[in-house]
Amino acid sequence: MVQLIQYRESDGTRHVAMLKEGGAAVRLNNIASTYDLARDAIARGISLAHAAEQAAGDAVDPAAIAAEGRFLAPIDHPDPAHCLMTGTGLTHLGSAEGRNKMHQAAAGGQMTDSMRMFNMGLEGGRPADGATGAQPEWFYKGDGSCLVAPGAPLESPHFALDGSEEPEIAGIYIIDDAGRPRRLGFALGNEFSDHVTERGNYLWLAHSKLRQAALGPELLLGELPQDVRGTSRIVRDGETLWEKPFLSGEANMSHSLRNLEHHHFKYDLFRRPGDVHVHFFGTATLSFADNVKTQEGDIFEVEAAPFTLPVRNPLARAAAPAPDQIEVLSL
């Protein structure tokens, strides 16, 4: 497997490096971003892996980059407003259990909308080739300004009621000049959310998802393994507070990746040439479901093969801004 990483030198200059099996890593000559490399590969009609091979240069040391905190997210856009972060929920086998518990009281003993949505995925989330499957739950997280670099704090808004992890795989895409989505690969991520707000009212799900999110340093090229197994944990004061395995990949999902991609990119809005998309595919494992209450300084860690580097970010809380005064612009 081939992975790409983005990083900065100590002088601030940007670079891209390619990781290969066995741990070797080489810098790509004259390439400042994964975005630039992808645009070049599309223009020349070659694969991203082939473009990276052609630019391979001197060896670099990922361990030194990590130790010095110089990793960047594996994808970004020169204009953060043109990097869209979105996601789908209730997509994994077992993912409805925690969500159903959150909303059962409001449903008055009836089947919740969460369980109905999950069952729709079980019944129709894996359509045959050429067919259209069931629509998944969909949400918007933010633009590229909400994408947190490896090791940087995940900042919970001052008004948030919770800030908790969601260990997930994200698909990474670029829209070509003809408006066609091109999948670049996959990244390991933490789709950070406010589950207390969501529990208060299912219609607040949209509010609960408007948060930052983090990706691990690696962009995994090619196909995602069918069975992805990893570990999600929270570390507090140097000790593991909570830890649990999580599963992803299509072998553990109620929807196929192609079905999730279809229902996201069927909208013309998401086929704007030059845009980058980071789309989270969901999870079935949450510390919140085990009644864990996070606090500032907690460190979220997500790791899973075939990714060799973890997603690791501390939890912070934003300071409250001065009260806003909305001014009316008069003629």
Side-chain angles (χ1 to χ4, degrees), residues 21-330:
E21 290 186 58
V26 294
R27 186 175 64 199
L28 305 187
N29 293 325
N30 304 313
I31 302 294
S33 71
T34 307
Y35 181 81
D36 290 344
L37 182 68
R39 296 276 292 174
D40 176 66
I42 291 170
R44 293 195 288 140
I46 61 176
S47 72
L48 193 56
H50 190 190
E53 290 281 0
Q54 290 181 343
D58 295 336
V60 296
D61 183 2
I65 296 170
E68 296 167 11
R70 294 190 282 114
F71 276 128
L72 302 170
I75 188 67
D76 54 6
H77 192 286
D79 178 357
H82 286 275
C83 174
L84 302 179
M85 293 201 302
T86 54
T88 45
L90 299 169
T91 54
H92 284 61
L93 302 175
S95 61
E97 182 180 356
R99 185 82 71 83
N100 193 54
K101 286 179 182 177
M102 279 194 266
H103 305 139
Q104 225 163 18
Q110 302 299 310
M111 180 180 287
T112 65
D113 285 339
S114 294
M115 189 58 74
R116 289 190 186 95
M117 179 70 74
F118 178 70
N119 288 338
M120 289 171 65
L122 284 178
E123 295 165 7
R126 293 174 171 271
D129 290 345
T132 299
Q135 286 193 128
E137 176 194 48
W138 181 95
F139 56 84
Y140 174 68
K141 280 205 68 68
D143 64 16
S145 66
C146 301
L147 183 57
V148 173
L154 277 166
E155 197 170 75
S156 192
H158 72 279
F159 53 79
L161 303 179
D162 171 51
S164 295
E165 85 300 329
E166 293 201 14
E168 302 191 20
I169 303 295
I172 310 299
Y173 308 85
I174 191 171
I175 311 302
D176 69 18
D177 291 341
R180 294 172 299 193
R182 303 289 192 102
R183 189 204 294 149
L184 306 184
F186 300 91
L188 188 60
N190 181 352
E191 193 267 291
F192 183 61
S193 297
D194 182 342
H195 299 103
V196 172
T197 291
E198 179 191 348
R199 182 177 62 186
N201 190 312
Y202 185 72
L203 296 180
W204 289 341
L205 174 73
H207 292 276
S208 76
K209 293 296 187 182
L210 284 171
R211 299 291 185 271
Q212 293 181 333
L215 298 178
E218 297 158 275
L219 175 63
L220 177 69
L221 307 188
E223 296 295 331
L224 186 71
Q226 288 285 307
D227 185 19
V228 175
R229 295 171 181 258
T231 302
S232 179
R233 70 176 61 88
I234 298 174
V235 176
R236 180 177 294 172
D237 298 327
E239 302 288 337
T240 298
L241 173 72
W242 173 89
E243 181 177 271
K244 206 165 191 177
F246 74 94
L247 304 174
S248 194
E250 287 192 340
N252 304 297
M253 296 174 67
S254 51
H255 287 261
S256 66
L257 295 183
R258 290 291 185 184
N259 190 52
L260 301 180
E261 291 170 336
H262 165 77
H263 284 293
H264 178 66
F265 290 112
K266 67 185 180 184
Y267 297 100
D268 289 342
L269 174 66
F270 299 145
R271 291 173 172 263
R272 186 168 53 191
D275 280 5
V276 165
H277 288 253
V278 176
H279 190 76
F280 291 91
F281 291 124
T283 188
T285 303
L286 307 172
S287 66
F288 182 80
D290 291 337
N291 300 313
V292 173
K293 184 173 177 57
T294 60
Q295 63 185 40
E296 289 181 70
D298 287 351
I299 297 175
F300 301 115
E301 295 183 349
V302 181
E303 56 189 15
F307 301 94
T308 61
L309 300 167
V311 186
R312 182 179 292 118
N313 302 86
L315 173 62
R317 190 173 184 86
D324 287 333
Q325 284 288 345
I326 305 300
E327 297 186 8
V328 176
L329 183 63
S330 301

